[in-house]
Structure formats: structure tokens, C-alpha cells
Amino acid sequence: MKIIGVGRNYVEHAKELGNEVPSEPVLFLMPDSAILRKNDAFYYPSFSEDVHHELELVVKICRVGKNIQQKFAYKYYEEIGLGIDFTARDLQSQAKKKGLPWSIAKGFNGSLPISFFRPKQDFDLDNIDLVLKKNGETVQHGNTKDMLFSIDQIIEYCSKFFTLKKGDLIYTGTPSGVGPVQIGDRLEGFLNDEKLLDFEVR
Ligand code: MG
């Protein structure tokens, strides 16, 4: 199983990090050892001093496909969930400066909390609210209507390069409001009004 991340998929987030708005999806890969399930605690890694939360809609692929056209992409996923793409921003900034890959800044152990999944038909995919609360205060509030590339566009683009397989996950990018977490923080994530994530940073 592989995990594909999409970077800079919300204009306001691209701007807040001083990045250009991309003309094609920005993709990166993460290992399955990064996944953190069942609201297990996130352990702050010793190699970073600036870990940021990025709340993201996650799509679970349900069948094998490559070179999928956008108009058929809906057949390749049945469920969506909520995830956090924890990012060691200090390591990522160093890598970006040197033009090096982000792998360790994104894909370290436990960097990808994931909720349980919900049937996609329960949602209007172009209008889903994503909310992240840190210690009870809203720190991120986005909506999928502001995604630069829709789920179906992302699947078309990804599947040109990577054969998608059942169980693969796509983290579709974060809205603005990313920021640091600290040991002791409690994070709660909501898909529309339903709380799907609730865990601590230790
Ligand atoms: Mg992200």
C-alpha cells in the first residue's frame, strides 16, 4: 500500500508558505509505516523542533487502475476519511532550500494519523467542511470547494505515473492555518460536523 500526498492544493495555504500556486498537482509519496490509526497518540519526533499539523481530506482507492480519465475516476474510490499530514517544517525548509526531496520531513514514523472512513455518497464532495481544533480552538477551517484540483483530477494525474491499487491512500492537501504542535496538545478533526479525529501529542 502506498500513500500519495498532494502539496499546495489550496491557494491560501500555498500563499501562507510563500509558494507559487501550481499549474499541476504537486505529488509526493510516503511509506505505510507513517500511518497512525485509531486515534493513537502522536509522539513528537526527536529530530524536529517545528512539527506542523496539516488537516486533509483522505481518499481510499478501492480498485486497481492506471491512466484513469477524470470522468471515470469516481469508480476508483468509495470512501473518504480525515487525516493529518504532520510535517517537520524545519527539515522540509532545509530540503527545499537545497532542492532536495521532502521524504523524511513528511513520511517519518507516525506522521500520518488517519480516521476511520465514511462512504463518499454521504457527502457532496465539492462542499465538505474540514475543521481542526487544537486544545479546543479552531486552527484550520477549510472547504473542499477551495481545492485547486478535485479528487477526480488528482486521481487522473496520479494514475498517469503510479498504478493505483486497492487500499492506497491519497492525502489531498491542506487548507490554510497550518501551525506548530507541542507535546500535550489535543487535536480534534471534523468532517462537516462529525468528529473523526481526537488524539494527543505526547
Ligand atoms: Mg500536506
Side-chain angles (χ1 to χ4, degrees), residues 5-8 13 28 54-56 85 87 106 171-174:
V6 181
R8 306 171 190 169
H13 170 63
F28 49 94
E54 296 189 353
L55 182 71
E56 312 201 358
D85 168 21
T87 304
K106 287 286 191 181
Y171 278 63
T172 60
T174 189

Side-chain angles (χ1 to χ4, degrees), residues 5-202:
V6 181
R8 306 171 190 169
N9 200 24
Y10 290 78
V11 174
E12 291 305 314
H13 170 63
K15 284 186 191 162
E16 77 182 340
L17 293 185
N19 291 314
E20 281 178 25
V21 175
S23 54
E24 289 181 320
V26 175
L27 303 184
F28 49 94
L29 290 172
M30 293 172 286
D32 58 5
S33 47
I35 290 285
L36 197 59
R37 296 182 198 276
K38 297 179 183 168
N39 283 320
D40 281 350
F42 170 73
Y43 284 87
Y44 203 104
S46 59
F47 48 75
S48 177
E49 288 174 357
D50 194 24
V51 172
H52 280 201
H53 54 75
E54 296 189 353
L55 182 71
E56 312 201 358
L57 182 76
V58 181
V59 175
K60 188 197 274 184
I61 297 299
C62 66
R63 54 189 280 208
V64 176
K66 62 177 169 183
N67 295 318
I68 300 163
Q69 291 177 49
Q70 186 183 333
K71 65 182 174 187
F72 298 124
Y74 70 94
K75 297 181 177 185
Y76 291 82
Y77 62 103
E78 289 165 350
E79 295 179 302
I80 59 171
L82 194 59
I84 295 188
D85 168 21
F86 275 121
T87 304
R89 196 69 74 201
D90 42 0
L91 299 188
Q92 188 195 30
S93 299
Q94 290 165 22
K96 280 160 87 173
K97 261 186 226 154
K98 297 177 188 166
L100 294 173
W102 305 349
S103 302
I104 59 171
K106 287 286 191 181
F108 58 88
N109 289 331
S111 66
L112 294 175
I114 184 72
S115 72
F116 54 88
F117 284 80
R118 283 276 180 236
K120 71 176 181 189
Q121 62 265 29
D122 290 357
F123 299 88
D124 169 1
L125 296 174
D126 296 322
N127 185 16
I128 302 175
D129 254 330
L130 309 170
V131 171
L132 182 68
K133 293 183 180 182
K134 183 171 84 173
N135 304 322
E137 272 189 41
T138 299
V139 286
Q140 289 193 267
H141 184 183
N143 189 290
T144 55
K145 70 177 177 345
D146 297 318
M147 287 168 74
L148 279 171
F149 302 101
S150 68
I151 295 171
D152 293 355
Q153 287 174 314
I154 291 167
I155 286 176
E156 176 177 271
Y157 188 76
C158 286
S159 70
K160 266 199 240 183
F161 308 97
F162 309 128
T163 298
L164 298 178
K165 293 187 176 178
K166 187 176 178 180
D168 287 351
L169 300 179
I170 303 176
Y171 278 63
T172 60
T174 189
S176 60
V178 302
V181 295
Q182 291 181 324
I183 292 171
D185 284 345
R186 179 183 177 193
L187 296 177
E188 297 164 279
F190 299 78
L191 206 53
N192 288 337
D193 291 329
E194 187 183 8
K195 181 154 78 172
L196 292 186
L197 288 171
D198 187 352
F199 64 94
E200 282 177 17
V201 179
R202 287 189 192 152

